[in-house]
Amino acid sequence: MADGAEPGTVRSGTPDGGGPRAAGNAPEEVPPPPGPAPQNPWRNHFLALLDRLPLPIAVCRADGGVLIANPAMAAEWGVAPGRLSGRNLLDLFRPRDTAQLDRLTEALRLGRRSRYPVAVGWRGTDGVTRQGELSLDPVGDPSARPPALLALLKVRESVPPPAPRGRVSPVEGRILALAAGGATTAAIGSALGLTVDGVNYHLSRLARRWRVQGRTALVARAYVLGVLEPGSWPPRAA
């Protein structure tokens, strides 16, 4: 070399030697070593939003296998959200019309992307049979065949079963009807040919059976159990 330095040696004052860098001699930037790509912040935002939504939502494969579910959806299964991964929506939600699933399958095969409602029924964690609708939307890469599905569950309000009808004897029914009309114990006994003690015996027996205290609560319970006809006056046994 012109200055007498041996080839391959590092000279002081050069970039390799740690000294001041000469203008125009800065080395090219070396790219960082390969590593895992940073996580998409939008995905984190979506998952956080999903967790806060009160509507039961899940993302699943076309065959119903759950990929992601929010806490509201997991609550319908009675498990933590992470326990739903790999489960199938059809394990819990039973389609009321299988033809709706057939139409969805055909639409996905043809590449159509619309919202497909499927009426479903299932038994809740409280043992009560519930009804609702799964709204299924193809999502993700349009070129993916078949696409993933966004499932939104709309729960219909459960109609409580009718209260069990109370069973009373004809005499008890007439006693309750007269009591509901405001008759005294003596008046009830006079109307039915019973003693005061006899009327009290029947009233006490009904109160123990229905687990209520006081004549007012007893009459109210009789209406709830269908023993007395609602909307009729004077009151009468059903």
Side-chain angles (χ1 to χ4, degrees):
M1 298 181 68
D3 55 3
E6 295 183 2
T9 58
V10 179
R11 297 177 298 167
S12 176
T14 64
D16 290 337
R21 299 173 182 232
N25 290 331
E28 296 182 1
E29 293 186 2
V30 178
Q39 195 170 25
N40 189 343
W42 285 105
R43 183 177 186 277
N44 292 338
H45 179 73
F46 169 75
L47 294 177
L49 179 63
L50 197 66
D51 285 347
R52 290 196 296 267
L53 290 176
L55 184 67
I57 299 175
V59 178
C60 62
R61 298 191 303 268
D63 62 1
V66 176
L67 301 174
I68 301 172
N70 71 343
M73 177 64 83
E76 295 297 331
W77 298 61
V79 298
R83 299 290 299 275
L84 284 185
S85 180
R87 299 285 298 276
N88 196 293
L89 289 180
L90 298 182
D91 289 345
L92 177 68
F93 304 111
R94 302 296 181 184
R96 298 176 61 187
D97 182 3
T98 56
Q100 291 180 315
L101 283 182
D102 295 338
R103 287 192 290 270
L104 171 60
T105 301
E106 180 65 11
L108 294 178
R109 186 184 68 83
L110 297 175
R112 297 173 182 167
R113 287 182 171 256
S114 301
R115 178 170 297 175
Y116 299 93
V118 177
V120 293
W122 70 100
R123 186 175 295 277
T125 55
D126 54 2
V128 176
T129 299
R130 310 179 75 181
Q131 303 291 332
E133 181 182 270
L134 273 176
S135 180
L136 302 169
D137 291 80
V139 294
D141 186 355
S143 63
R145 295 289 186 90
L149 298 174
L150 178 66
L152 291 82
L153 177 66
K154 298 177 182 178
V155 182
R156 295 177 185 166
E157 292 296 330
S158 301
V159 178
R165 188 179 180 83
R167 295 182 179 180
V168 297
S169 67
V171 172
E172 290 171 336
R174 294 181 65 187
I175 290 175
L176 288 168
L178 291 169
T184 64
T185 303
I188 294 173
S190 178
L192 301 181
L194 299 172
T195 65
V196 171
D197 289 341
V199 174
N200 285 331
Y201 165 78
H202 285 290
L203 291 175
S204 299
R205 187 163 176 253
L206 287 169
R208 287 195 301 271
R209 186 192 311 169
W210 293 343
R211 298 180 181 180
V212 296
Q213 293 182 351
R215 185 171 298 191
T216 300
L218 187 62
V219 169
R221 185 67 170 163
Y223 275 111
V224 170
L225 295 176
V227 172
L228 299 178
E229 288 187 2
S232 63
W233 191 264
R236 62 185 181 187

